[in-house]
Amino acid sequence: MKPRTRPTLARRLVSGLATLVVLGTVVVANRPMVAVASEALHTYKINRQSYKERYGHWANLPVPRDFRVNAIHAALLHTGKVLIIAGSGNNKDSFEAGSFRSVLYDPAADSFTEIDTPTDVFCAGHAFLPDGKLLVAGGTKSYEVLEDEVDHAAGVMKIKNESPDGGPHVLEKGTRLVSATGHVYRTRDKVTVPTARKMTHGTTTTVHAGEVEVWVDAVEKGDAAVVGQPAQYSLEGLTGPNLYGVSEKITREKQEYGGDKTSYEFDPVTEKYVKTGNLQDPRWYPTLIGLNGGDVLAVSGLDQFGRILPGRNERYLTAERRWVKAPELKRYFPTYPSLHMMGDGKVFYSGANAGYGPDDKGRTPGLWDVRNNRFQQVPGLREPDKNETASSVLLPPAQEQKVMMFGGGGVGESEHSTARTDIVDLDEKSPRYRPGPDLPKPARYLSTVLLPDDSVLTTGGSSGYRGGKYRDQTRSDLFNAQIYRPDRNVFETAAESTVGRNYHSEAILLPDGRVITMGSDPLYDPTGKNAGTFEQRIEVYSPPYLFRGTRPAITGGPAAVSRGTTATFTTPDAARIASARLVRPSSVTHVTDTDQRSVALGLHRTVGGVDVTVPEKAGLAPSGWYMLFLVDDKGVPSAARWVQVR
């Protein structure tokens, strides 16, 4: 009798695959065996250790039904929890019902918590404050109304008061104004018309009318009340010239989203929104960016009537928790401009943006000196007509002062997109963009995440507008992911995701080194024939470094460090630590993230620990909370330790 031998590894793998195929065929009897076999082979392939070491691994995150929300915004708090903000979630029914949502996800406990959300912060702006609170400002005051849904002519009307006497006039909601032709219009909101102001210049006294703007709607349906030119209106039942309305036009055109004035600080410790002073201007789709010194600048956005703000920016005085106008920093940007704080305190506008505004205004990249409002244009960006829905990131480490632009598409609902990446070195005397490696496919809405090993994960996106048709594709979501290596200027292929992510999607680095991805608001379902639904599934990506051996550990150290100083952190793995990075947590929406950065620390290994030195420049390491990662000689990072930079 022949001796029994163990089957070879290859034979065992083939046998295992055959078993998977048989089981799959039994379970899914109506599906072709080839398809089941293919899926079994793919599942086996992506779960091999050698595959994960090279490409990483994706996993679905189970989300309890009661905590599934439309992720419009997301931010990693210094408690390690992820704040997922939906507001009304791009759902008009939720808006009208006053149903606004935020959820906290705790990766350490794998738990979710509902957060009371006082107003509709859908499409607000946000940025971290030095103490770790998240400033959230603006949002939605009114939803868009498409042209075919506009039954009553409507428009913005200025109510003027030419009398300097008698005080302000309060007009209740529904106040009626009458045109010269007898058509009647009603105000949508209660407003107060200021008193006129007397101004004396020498012997001449002039009166400047007080005025306030308000939406008005025609009482009657149809086109009869449409007015296509400037006109004056009288208040019904009021005689005399002192109080009247004027409007440029009243139409049945599409009505855009209206911005809100509310502002909050979200406290990670109490896990509550805390009201601050209101914005000076309502803002929908604004960008917020922290400045040296701790204040925050708010730029762009649509006002309460859906008009893009014409360069009126404002400053949040953090110590006083109030907003003030900043006329000295008047500068026009399209909505959600992608801004990056540079080492010298200047703000770089990469050219990436998320949408509203004319295609010939405010779209040129440049360095903005927020001390004197000077703007130095930066040339060289290829395909500048495709900067909308592009992504940009301050490449790691921040000391290199290089910004990279990824993909993008044409203005508005354009079907055009690009695989372009361009890179600019802002330390050059005359900086200009230069070509980087192309993406594998044209991509809009691409998420970019800084990893602690000085690489950049790019994931998600679509080639078409909101995942819609692109060339011969019915749906254009992209599942390929790449890791960009700045030191070699190349993309490396990463494992493919399983969930499409386009408009309204986010990706964030977690303290354990993984990346969480969420959101997506496609126009169509996977067939391309029916309306899409918001993607509420969440995926988590584990980069290759998590499969390459034992991770170093940080066992102790200070909770706070000062710029320009050295601090000691204990680790049993000091001998193999090759680098230390402070990674600022992300606060992202519409692929716009002004917080994300990775700062290299000076490193000296000691017995049982490492000494790390923080850069002196506030523009390199703005005050706030960071994740400290120690990375070994194989590129494997520790789990993060939270450290506050002061």
Side-chain angles (χ1 to χ4, degrees), residues 74-293:
L76 176 65
L77 310 174
H78 70 267
T79 57
K81 298 179 182 181
V82 179
L83 177 64
I84 306 170
I85 303 174
S88 59
N90 204 15
N91 184 306
K92 193 172 183 178
D93 291 339
S94 295
F95 173 79
E96 292 177 348
S99 176
F100 313 131
R101 299 192 66 190
S102 302
V103 165
L104 267 181
Y105 169 59
D106 184 350
D110 196 25
S111 63
F112 292 83
T113 306
E114 185 82 21
I115 300 297
D116 181 57
T117 308
T119 58
D120 193 7
V121 287
F122 166 59
C123 290
H126 35 78
F128 281 112
L129 300 173
D131 63 0
K133 295 185 179 72
L134 182 71
L135 179 64
V136 182
T140 304
K141 183 68 173 178
S142 60
Y143 260 65
E144 69 177 359
V145 184
L146 301 179
E147 188 170 355
D148 60 2
E149 298 172 346
V150 179
D151 296 324
H152 298 256
V156 179
M157 188 172 291
K158 289 182 180 178
I159 311 297
K160 289 181 170 284
N161 179 11
E162 291 190 346
S163 174
D165 305 312
H169 288 265
V170 176
L171 302 184
E172 298 294 336
K173 176 181 178 181
T175 296
R176 295 160 67 95
L177 294 108
V178 185
S179 70
T181 56
H183 294 291
V184 180
Y185 307 85
R186 287 186 293 223
T187 58
R188 285 190 190 177
D189 297 292
K190 179 180 179 179
V191 292
T192 300
V193 192
T195 306
R197 291 175 298 134
K198 285 183 179 179
M199 298 187 69
T200 302
H201 302 278
T203 59
T204 304
T205 299
T206 58
V207 175
H208 296 268
E211 65 179 43
V212 67
E213 292 184 309
V214 64
W215 267 107
V216 298
D217 298 278
V219 171
E220 61 184 305
K221 287 186 177 182
D223 292 333
V226 168
V227 182
Q229 64 282 326
Q232 183 168 317
Y233 303 80
S234 61
L235 273 75
E236 190 174 72
L238 182 69
T239 59
N242 291 335
L243 204 62
Y244 58 92
V246 293
S247 181
E248 292 296 313
K249 60 180 181 178
I250 296 178
T251 72
R252 292 182 62 194
E253 297 172 357
K254 176 188 175 184
Q255 298 168 17
E256 298 289 357
Y257 285 92
D260 194 21
K261 275 190 167 186
T262 52
S263 173
Y264 303 92
E265 291 181 4
F266 184 83
D267 188 330
V269 177
T270 63
E271 299 181 347
K272 292 181 179 180
Y273 288 96
V274 179
K275 187 79 170 61
T276 74
N278 282 343
L279 287 159
Q280 294 292 312
D281 279 300
R283 295 181 188 268
W284 188 84
Y285 263 51
T287 290
L288 272 57
I289 184 169
L291 301 174
N292 286 352

Side-chain angles (χ1 to χ4, degrees), residues 345-585:
K346 294 177 182 176
V347 172
F348 178 61
Y349 168 47
S350 69
N353 63 87
Y356 291 79
D359 60 4
D360 60 350
K361 189 176 181 182
R363 295 180 181 264
T364 302
L367 275 165
W368 185 21
D369 192 332
V370 292
R371 292 164 295 194
N372 55 28
N373 202 31
R374 292 177 182 169
F375 191 84
Q376 176 189 354
Q377 293 189 3
V378 171
L381 185 63
R382 296 173 298 158
E383 300 185 84
D385 59 331
K386 296 184 178 68
N387 292 348
E388 200 162 286
T389 63
S391 308
S392 66
V393 68
L394 179 63
L395 288 174
Q399 283 88 338
E400 296 294 323
Q401 295 290 276
K402 293 180 179 178
V403 171
M404 188 170 185
M405 184 89 147
F406 298 80
V411 173
E413 299 181 11
S414 169
E415 295 181 1
H416 300 290
S417 56
T418 178
R420 160 211 66 190
T421 75
D422 280 347
I423 303 168
V424 59
D425 183 346
L426 293 162
D427 267 345
E428 293 180 348
K429 183 177 180 181
S430 299
R432 65 179 295 113
Y433 272 106
R434 293 180 171 85
D438 279 355
L439 296 164
K441 297 178 182 179
R444 325 166 58 122
Y445 320 104
L446 194 68
S447 288
T448 55
V449 180
L450 302 182
L451 301 179
D453 65 349
D454 282 353
S455 63
V456 183
L457 172 70
T458 69
T459 179
S462 64
S463 295
Y465 175 74
R466 290 182 61 179
K469 184 176 177 61
Y470 177 73
R471 295 180 180 171
D472 58 347
Q473 300 170 297
T474 301
R475 278 288 302 276
S476 60
D477 282 339
L478 302 172
F479 299 91
N480 57 288
Q482 303 76 231
I483 295 177
Y484 176 69
R485 301 287 180 183
D487 57 339
R488 291 184 283 122
N489 193 32
V490 297
F491 282 109
E492 294 178 353
T493 301
E496 290 192 350
S497 61
T498 63
V499 179
R501 309 280 183 197
N502 52 74
Y503 183 53
H504 287 151
S505 61
E506 301 83 32
I508 285 179
L509 177 69
L510 296 175
D512 61 11
R514 297 178 300 160
V515 174
I516 186 171
T517 65
M518 63 205 93
S520 190
D521 197 356
L523 281 178
Y524 303 104
D525 71 359
T527 69
K529 298 177 181 178
N530 304 307
T533 56
F534 205 103
E535 178 59 71
Q536 295 183 333
R537 288 176 293 174
I538 294 177
E539 273 192 303
V540 178
Y541 176 67
S542 297
Y545 53 57
L546 293 179
F547 303 98
R548 293 178 178 167
T550 304
R551 305 178 68 177
I554 305 174
T555 53
V561 295
S562 297
R563 282 187 295 271
T565 66
T566 298
T568 299
F569 291 86
T570 57
T571 171
D573 309 294
R576 62 186 174 102
I577 299 303
S579 64
R581 295 292 183 265
L582 285 177
V583 181
R584 192 169 172 93

